[in-house]
Amino acid sequence: MEKSDLLLSSPTSEEILNLKLKSVVIRRKILKMLHLAKSGHTGGSLSIVEILVALYFKVMKYDPKNPDWGNRDRLILSKGHAAPALYAVLAEIGYFQEEELWRLRKLGAPLQGHPDSNKTPGVEISTGSLGQGLGIGSGVALALKLKQNSAMVYVILGDGEMQEGMVWEAIMASGHYKLDNLCAILDNNNLQIDGKVSDIMSIYPVEDKLKAFGWNIITIDGHDFSSIISALTLARTTKGKPTFIIAHTVKGKGVSIFENKAKYHGVAPNDEEFEIAMQELQKQEEDLLNG
Amino acid sequence: MDKKATRDAYGEALVELGKKDPRIVVLDADLSGSTRTAKFAKEFPDRFFNMGIAEQNLMVAAAGFAITGFIPFASTFAIFATGRAWEPIRQSIAYSNINVKIVASHAGITVGEDGGSHQAVEDITLMRVIPNMHVFVPADATETRKVIEKVVEIEGPCYVRTGRSKVPIIFDDNYKFEPGKAHRVREGKDVSIIATGIEVYESLRAAELLKREGISASVVNMSSIKPIDKEIIVEEAESTGRIVTVEEHSIYGGLGSAVAEVLCQSLPAKLKIIGIKDEFGISGKAEELVKYFGLDSESIAREVKRFLNE
Ligand SMILES: Cc1ncc(C[n+]2csc(CCOP(=O)(O)OP(=O)(O)O)c2C)c(N)n1
Ligand SMILES: [Mg+2]
């Protein structure tokens, strides 16, 4: 299949509403998982919800009944600590039973603290040690080209993660090999664990750096569905270059008490915070349904 | 019994030493809250450097400080310190015998829920194999402080392994730590348990359990894995003839292997190596995982009995 055949139609307003409603459902599940697990990464899971929802509910082709289907698009969650977001989406589309979500991080459970491809269907490869996903993605992209397979490879990275040297080795290799079947998405929430990315170890101006390495750069609001979908469409149609989508996001997005707070990087909601969060999500859902 | 994580003791010791010695600088890789170097960062912001999520650069930058007259402490999780940055440590720190102190936290399975990707069960092996490197695994908070004080005096590269979870404090202030010197923390005549890190406490409890069944076990705290105390190993082999090693680490290349190397070449004795078998860690609560991997006192006592009946 030619890539142009895969051109996405722009989403209708009804579709966008459904994606927004889906995001509320996913956020609720993420928070319930974390709350029950009493540990895990709240902020970085919430910041990629719209990106994952757009990918899995609009853009990517895959078959939950046949996780190894050869023509599937691949997603590599390089920032593996956002596993709860990925798990919530994978359960929603039927890779495994929803009940598994509630055993996150428990002894003997398939859903590990960080994605484990030996234990969880739909996870392409285990991640959690930052900096390795883009290099893996570039290898998959090269391999797909060798097989003349037109599937796309998506890699989601954190902005703190961009400080790893390996990421830049992968950026160089992907630009060098002109991997137009590779699309990296930067969850640019400007927070890492110890503080702001711009204070701890600045990666900025990241667009200019990436451009110099031969990438196609698209900067978007990472919580806005029409921007995300049009960027992902451009990534598919751009020839001769890999695409880096710089998604401006808010860490902890969707629950005001968690938003933009470094503290909630690796802390699960306690009982009280969970209640507040559920009420806020309830309100968001009602507002969406009432137009 | 009071409990404290060894990483907490590290954070406190750094501040104390930082007051006394202006040559001490601290580098971290976006985990200063977890490794507890944040305490030092707060006291001495000018002598603290957050290198971002870039562990290889963390190590070589520390080497740069060392050859310019400072005593750098470089900290991150054990898996990233010894894994991601292994070759920079070998080449730019150990090969030239550079005075860098690598103090890693979150070693072993007591990392807990984060799971196998974050649980270093190979770090002792990885550091022990490098020439010039000292490898120390303190058993509790007191010993951690003593080890950190000692590594400042040592001229040369050191690796210190600390943990995330709270562990009982077994030593008082009179405890003395010497590189290459183990401590016999319990006398016994039927079997010798040589343990390191958090397994020293579990082994002491195991020895109590064994006593109830009429088995007298000595317990040795082998906190200095490299250099290792050959004499005490040989003494134990002579007195009991049966050695059990216990570590929160892979059975390949760690304490068990180090003890085996000594025994085989000095005084062969029957040896049982208790540790994590050929597998990765998993998610779960730290206490649950200690049991799951057979590293709690009951499991140790059971294994010792089985070994004695072989
Ligand atoms: C190699 C490596 N070093 C350190 C860590 C510990 N760690 C986990 S998440 C994180 C911060 C990540 O920040 P960022 O990439 O910005 O992620 P986000 O803000 O999206 O959560 C760190 C340092 C790790 N997982 N891997
Ligand atoms: Mg970030």
Side-chain angles (χ1 to χ4, degrees):
Chain A
M1 214 177 345
E2 272 299 300
K3 263 203 198 171
S4 52
D5 297 341
L6 298 167
L7 248 184
L8 293 160
S9 54
S10 6
T12 61
S13 53
E14 197 194 334
E15 247 182 309
I16 291 201
L17 174 63
N18 284 333
L19 293 171
K20 285 183 179 168
L21 286 167
K22 190 60 87 182
S23 304
V24 176
V25 170
I26 296 297
R27 285 204 163 87
R28 219 178 248 143
K29 290 190 175 170
I30 291 171
L31 293 169
K32 184 172 167 192
M33 294 166 80
L34 289 166
H35 179 57
L36 289 171
K38 296 194 172 71
S39 74
H41 299 84
T42 302
S45 296
L46 293 176
S47 63
I48 59 165
V49 169
E50 280 79 11
I51 294 165
L52 282 179
V53 166
L55 281 166
Y56 278 95
F57 292 93
K58 173 72 181 166
V59 176
M60 282 169 59
K61 46 191 174 69
Y62 55 85
D63 179 4
K65 291 197 186 58
N66 182 11
D68 295 331
W69 175 47
N71 290 331
R72 73 190 183 281
D73 292 326
R74 273 78 166 171
L75 177 104
I76 294 160
L77 185 63
S78 190
K79 43 166 279 187
H81 57 279
L86 180 63
Y87 296 156
V89 168
L90 292 178
E92 189 71 12
I93 58 185
Y95 273 97
F96 49 81
Q97 296 288 311
E98 184 180 307
E99 284 63 48
E100 297 295 359
L101 296 177
W102 319 134
R103 296 207 299 139
L104 172 74
R105 293 176 158 246
K106 305 261 195 251
L107 185 65
L111 302 189
Q112 296 287 295
H114 293 78
D116 184 328
S117 53
N118 280 316
K119 294 192 164 75
T120 310
V123 172
E124 295 285 348
I125 189 165
S126 304
T127 52
S129 175
L130 295 169
Q132 308 193 21
L134 191 58
I136 296 165
S138 68
V140 175
L142 279 168
L144 288 171
K145 278 184 182 284
L146 192 60
K147 286 179 144 181
Q148 297 182 321
N149 182 319
S150 67
M152 281 292 290
V153 184
Y154 299 97
V155 179
I156 301 178
L157 299 102
D159 46 4
E161 183 182 13
M162 292 288 279
Q163 293 155 351
E164 283 287 354
M166 283 184 84
V167 174
W168 295 92
E169 295 174 24
I171 287 167
M172 180 162 53
S174 311
H176 176 82
Y177 282 112
K178 302 184 170 43
L179 298 178
D180 50 14
N181 54 346
L182 176 66
C183 173
I185 303 158
L186 183 65
D187 179 8
N188 196 100
N189 55 30
N190 197 20
L191 281 179
Q192 50 191 111
I193 295 182
D194 283 344
K196 286 186 177 176
V197 173
S198 46
D199 293 339
I200 300 293
M201 181 59 61
S202 182
I203 60 165
Y204 307 109
V206 71
E207 280 95 340
D208 296 349
K209 290 175 190 165
L210 293 168
K211 213 171 269 169
F213 279 90
W215 285 64
N216 173 41
I217 314 300
I218 309 170
T219 303
I220 59 163
D221 171 347
H223 302 299
D224 178 71
F225 278 110
S226 39
S227 316
I228 300 171
I229 291 165
S230 66
L232 291 169
T233 308
L234 264 171
R236 264 182 193 258
T237 50
T238 298
K239 301 277 178 206
K241 277 179 177 194
T243 293
F244 223 117
I245 299 175
I246 313 297
H248 287 282
T249 55
V250 174
K251 200 158 175 168
K253 176 72 178 179
V255 181
S256 37
I257 50 171
F258 303 145
E259 284 187 0
N260 247 319
K261 298 213 175 73
K263 183 186 150 198
Y264 287 101
H265 168 85
V267 177
N270 62 26
D271 292 349
E272 193 192 340
E273 290 162 342
F274 181 67
E275 272 315 309
I276 296 171
M278 286 300 128
Q279 280 167 19
E280 197 170 333
L281 292 174
Q282 181 71 30
K283 174 97 183 16
Q284 282 170 24
E285 192 168 53
E286 284 163 11
D287 289 351
L288 284 170
L289 289 170
N290 298 333
Chain B
M1 213 167 204
D2 279 350
K3 284 182 152 197
K4 191 184 211 169
T6 49
R7 60 175 169 151
D8 284 315
Y10 166 54
E12 289 160 17
L14 265 186
V15 172
E16 288 314 305
L17 290 162
K19 283 179 192 155
K20 285 184 224 151
D21 194 335
R23 297 170 303 165
I24 292 176
V25 294
V26 178
L27 296 85
D28 203 300
D30 195 33
L31 287 168
S32 66
S34 299
T35 63
R36 304 298 197 232
T37 62
K39 272 183 185 299
F40 183 96
K42 200 156 166 255
E43 286 289 319
F44 310 103
D46 295 346
R47 287 193 273 149
F48 175 82
F49 302 88
N50 201 325
M51 305 308 290
I53 312 171
E55 296 80 10
Q56 303 179 66
N57 199 47
L58 168 79
M59 294 303 169
V60 295
F65 272 101
I67 60 173
T68 316
F70 288 91
I71 303 177
F73 279 76
S75 292
T76 178
F77 288 178
I79 191 67
F80 311 127
T82 67
R84 177 73 49 97
W86 187 85
E87 204 258 358
I89 291 172
R90 179 196 186 268
Q91 305 292 11
S92 299
I93 296 176
Y95 188 49
S96 310
N97 202 13
I98 303 296
N99 196 27
V100 172
K101 315 303 167 190
I102 301 160
V103 184
S105 74
H106 290 61
I109 45 132
T110 47
V111 164
E113 290 86 348
D114 271 354
S117 61
H118 283 56
Q119 296 166 358
V121 296
E122 315 87 344
D123 56 313
I124 298 177
T125 311
L126 288 168
M127 291 296 107
R128 193 170 79 83
V129 76
I130 304 177
N132 291 333
M133 186 64 74
H134 302 74
V135 180
F136 304 135
V137 185
D140 73 349
T142 309
E143 189 172 31
T144 304
R145 198 180 76 240
K146 304 277 176 171
V147 166
I148 298 302
E149 286 165 2
K150 184 57 71 177
V151 298
V152 174
E153 289 168 23
I154 293 172
E155 183 66 38
C158 299
Y159 175 68
V160 183
R161 179 187 223 228
T162 72
R164 169 173 186 251
S165 302
K166 288 198 169 86
V167 290
I169 299 175
I170 45 186
F171 300 121
D172 63 25
D173 256 1
N174 299 321
Y175 181 87
K176 285 201 173 48
F177 171 79
E178 270 308 317
K181 261 335 280 147
H183 284 249
R184 190 176 287 106
V185 287
R186 186 186 170 107
E187 303 281 342
K189 52 183 183 10
D190 299 328
V191 60
S192 310
I193 307 177
I194 302 179
T196 198
I198 65 165
E199 292 305 318
V200 174
Y201 175 72
E202 295 296 337
S203 298
L204 280 168
R205 282 195 51 205
E208 269 306 309
L209 297 174
L210 290 164
K211 186 182 160 196
R212 286 186 215 159
E213 310 202 25
I215 298 167
S216 156
S218 70
V219 178
V220 171
N221 170 22
M222 190 66 79
S223 47
S224 176
I225 305 265
K226 190 182 180 184
I228 201 158
D229 188 342
K230 289 184 187 154
E231 271 165 40
I232 207 166
I233 297 171
V234 171
E235 278 169 28
E236 291 297 323
E238 277 167 350
S239 72
T240 71
R242 283 172 190 265
I243 314 281
V244 176
T245 62
V246 193
E247 62 203 295
E248 186 203 2
H249 184 272
S250 167
I251 54 169
Y252 298 129
L255 170 71
S257 301
V259 168
E261 287 155 19
V262 173
L263 286 177
C264 290
Q265 299 177 82
S266 308
L267 185 68
K270 277 202 86 177
L271 172 67
K272 169 79 200 167
I273 298 174
I274 298 179
I276 292 155
K277 310 219 166 56
D278 196 14
E279 62 185 319
F280 292 106
I282 50 169
S283 290
K285 289 204 188 85
E287 319 86 74
E288 288 172 347
L289 293 176
V290 168
K291 285 205 175 73
Y292 178 87
F293 286 104
L295 296 171
D296 60 309
S297 51
E298 277 100 25
S299 306
I300 295 167
R302 210 179 311 122
E303 277 300 312
V304 169
K305 272 190 290 177
R306 197 174 297 157
F307 175 62
L308 291 179
N309 289 331
E310 268 173 17

